[in-house]
């Protein structure tokens, strides 16, 4: 019996494996990962400082424990060199393996800015737990008697979460972004203003409307020079400008790609018996056939359950329901359904402040249909109430 092979041992890969094992206890299962294979919650990486968590403390199950739980062969620290879609084999640094079906859960890569300067190689990004360990070690290597100065490039979701977390742990944070407000691509100006005010109260500084161009050594410091001529002195520089789906294996295997690996409504790629999900995938909508990347937790969980059933012989559509994105900024906790980028220019945000001080912004498209929202603070009841209104006209 040929195995099912899953490439990637993050949330996406482990979700498929776990859901598949609920349905099939016997089919051989091989998981291949370049890292150590420990299970951890990736969203925890951006709010672990204030909780005093070291990298190893974020791992809840070791690779050995995961392999035992899943009755799987878990190949750690193993590089995948390529996929032969016709022969149905995977070539790795540990040998070549045949598969019956293959799942790509290879995630995304941090976007690199091409910065100049003799300290450009000192700029860090945090996309995996190993990155977090390096970042935390860099923070801890500084003089603990004074706050560590951290310059964060990017004031999107991850940048703001790290800023709030680091400031909450007592560090001096500067956020740098080409937009004119934090979370500019995701939420309403009113909620951005609320988040910015909360972060300023934490001691965070902002440089908007500009980008970092060079990072140089200045004695023991790092000096970030911005496009507007401003300089920011820092002990640590963190790039949080976003992620790009990892398409290296897909391109080499000549799978159909767009921004991500294009999959149909059941997770199948353009090659027979090869599936994809998670940050590397570009999902096809059941509603209108459009495709989009969805770098959030709920789509991974939904896709993982559906693909597991399909692997078990029951083709199952990935039914992606709207689910709020929860922004882990404790000083101004947000829940968001961002409007689709192509309708932002023709729609409008309407803002409300309730008697209890809750800030709610609703996005209506050109036909006055609710297509997005943001709320702070949030709880399950208000999230469900706002979700129920999606797709409804303002007058309804």
């Amino acid at each position: 019996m040929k195995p099912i092979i899953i490439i990637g041992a993050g949330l996406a890969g482990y979700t498929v494996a776990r859901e598949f094992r609920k349905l099939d206890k016997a089919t051989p299962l091989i998981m291949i990962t370049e890292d150590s294979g420990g299970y951890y919650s990736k969203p925890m990486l951006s709010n672990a400082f204030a909780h005093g968590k070291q990298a190893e403390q974020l791992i809840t199950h070791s690779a050995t424990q995961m392999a035992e739980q899943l009755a799987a062969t878990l190949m750690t620290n193993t590089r995948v060199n390529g996929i032969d879609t016709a022969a149905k084999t995977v070539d790795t640094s540990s040998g070549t393996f045949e598969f019956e079906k293959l799942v790509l859960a290879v995630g995304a890569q941090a976007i690199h800015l091409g910065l100049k300067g003799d300290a450009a190689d000192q700029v860090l990004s945090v996309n995996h737990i190993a990155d977090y360990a390096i970042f935390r070690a860099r923070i801890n290597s500084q003089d603990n008697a004074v706050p560590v100065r951290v310059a964060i490039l990017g004031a999107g979701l991850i940048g703001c979460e790290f800023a709030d977390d680091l400031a909450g742990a007592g560090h001096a944070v500067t956020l740098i972004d080409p937009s004119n407000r934090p979370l500019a691509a995701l939420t309403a100006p009113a909620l951005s203003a609320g988040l910015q005010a909360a972060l300023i109260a934490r001691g965070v500084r902002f440089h908007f409307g500009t980008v970092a161009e060079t990072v140089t050594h200045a004695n023991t410091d790092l000096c970030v020079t911005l496009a507007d001529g401003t300089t920011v002195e820092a002990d640590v520089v963190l790039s949080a400008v976003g992620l790009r789906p990892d398409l290296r294996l897909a391109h080499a295997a000549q799978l159909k790609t767009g921004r991500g690996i294009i999959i149909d409504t059941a997770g199948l790629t353009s090659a027979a018996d090869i599936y994809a999900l998670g940050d590397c995938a570009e999902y096809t909508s059941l509603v209108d056939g459009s495709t989009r990347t969805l770098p959030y937790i709920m789509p991974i969980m939904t896709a993982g359950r559906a693909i597991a059933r399909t692997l078990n012989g029951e083709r199952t559509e990935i039914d992606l329901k709207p689910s709020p994105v929860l922004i882990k900024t404790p000083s101004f906790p947000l829940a968001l359904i961002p409007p689709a980028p192509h309708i932002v220019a023709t729609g409008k945000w309407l803002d409300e402040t309730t008697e209890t001080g809750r800030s709610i912004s609703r996005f209506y498209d050109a036909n006055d249909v609710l297509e997005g929202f943001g709320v702070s603070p949030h709880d399950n009841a208000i999230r469900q109430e706002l979700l129920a209104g999606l797709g409804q006209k303002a007058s309804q």
Side-chain angles (χ1 to χ4, degrees):
M1 186 183 298
K2 293 180 182 179
I4 289 174
I5 294 180
I6 300 173
I7 302 176
L11 178 63
Y14 276 135
T15 297
V16 174
R18 185 178 290 116
E19 295 297 326
F20 179 72
R21 272 294 178 247
K22 293 177 182 178
L23 306 169
D24 182 320
K25 308 294 186 186
T27 298
L29 183 61
I30 297 175
M31 300 189 69
I32 305 171
T33 178
E34 285 190 331
D35 61 23
S36 61
Y39 181 81
Y40 65 97
S41 173
K42 190 173 179 179
M44 285 291 293
L45 298 179
S46 59
N47 70 340
F49 269 91
H51 292 92
K53 296 289 188 180
Q54 300 289 339
E56 60 272 15
Q57 293 175 300
L58 299 177
I59 297 175
T60 57
H61 296 86
S62 69
T64 300
Q65 291 171 323
M66 293 305 297
E68 291 175 351
Q69 288 181 17
L70 299 169
T73 299
L74 182 51
M75 301 173 59
T76 61
N77 304 305
T78 301
R79 184 183 67 257
V80 176
N81 300 317
I83 301 163
D84 188 324
T85 59
K88 297 178 73 171
T89 59
V90 175
D91 175 46
T92 79
S93 57
S94 298
T96 300
F97 302 89
E98 292 184 302
F99 63 84
E100 183 65 30
K101 295 172 183 175
L102 176 70
V103 179
L104 296 174
V106 294
Q109 297 176 296
I111 295 172
H112 295 289
L113 293 171
L115 296 167
K116 300 176 181 178
D118 62 9
D121 62 349
Q122 297 298 302
V123 177
L124 303 178
S125 60
V126 178
N127 188 32
H128 299 289
I129 197 163
D131 300 330
Y132 174 77
I134 294 169
F135 180 53
R136 184 159 187 112
R138 188 77 63 84
I139 295 284
N140 290 345
S141 69
Q142 306 298 319
D143 183 359
N144 291 326
V146 296
V148 174
R149 299 164 301 169
V150 184
I152 300 178
L153 314 182
L157 187 155
I158 299 301
C160 288
E161 288 186 347
F162 266 110
D164 205 350
D165 191 48
L166 290 163
H171 300 300
V173 178
T174 300
L175 270 172
I176 301 160
D177 196 275
S179 301
N180 60 5
R181 57 189 176 92
L183 296 182
L186 295 178
T187 196
L191 291 173
S192 288
L195 175 60
Q196 184 174 349
L199 291 176
I200 288 173
R202 284 266 208 184
V204 176
R205 297 181 178 182
F206 291 88
H207 289 277
F208 286 126
T210 188
V211 296
E213 290 192 335
T214 64
V215 183
T216 55
H217 289 287
N219 297 319
T220 60
D221 300 335
L222 298 176
C223 181
V224 183
T225 302
L226 310 184
D228 64 5
T230 305
T231 58
V232 176
E233 292 186 352
D235 301 299
V236 179
V237 180
L238 174 68
S239 176
V241 296
L243 302 174
R244 182 176 290 119
D246 189 343
L247 303 181
R248 292 173 293 178
L249 288 176
H251 285 160
Q254 297 185 319
L255 301 180
K256 185 178 180 181
T257 62
R259 176 171 173 77
I261 303 169
I262 294 177
I263 57 175
D264 71 7
T265 53
L268 183 66
T269 70
S270 57
D273 296 321
I274 299 180
Y275 300 81
L277 78 161
D279 289 356
C280 67
E282 187 168 336
Y283 296 85
T284 297
S285 169
L286 283 168
V287 177
D288 58 13
S290 62
T291 62
R292 55 180 172 158
T293 56
L294 293 167
Y296 304 115
I297 299 300
M298 285 308 298
I300 289 176
M301 305 300 289
T302 301
R305 287 189 289 268
I307 289 173
R309 289 193 288 269
T310 297
L311 293 173
N312 193 46
E314 177 191 354
R315 179 181 165 92
T316 303
E317 308 297 308
I318 302 171
D319 189 7
L320 295 167
K321 304 291 188 185
S323 177
V325 179
L326 306 184
I327 313 296
K328 300 186 301 299
T329 45
S331 59
F332 194 78
L334 276 159
L336 311 172
I337 292 279
H342 69 276
I343 66 172
V344 170
T346 56
K348 60 181 180 295
W349 287 100
L350 295 182
D351 306 314
E352 172 192 0
T353 301
T354 69
E355 292 181 355
T356 60
R358 192 188 308 274
S359 298
I360 303 174
S361 293
R362 297 173 175 86
F363 183 87
Y364 293 94
D365 68 9
N367 297 313
D368 284 333
V369 173
L370 182 65
E371 294 290 354
F373 64 78
V375 56
S376 180
H378 60 87
D379 56 31
N380 186 61
I382 188 64
R383 294 197 303 268
Q384 293 304 315
E385 178 184 333
L386 289 165
L387 278 172
L390 287 177
Q392 305 295 318
K393 290 185 72 70
S395 59
Q396 293 180 322

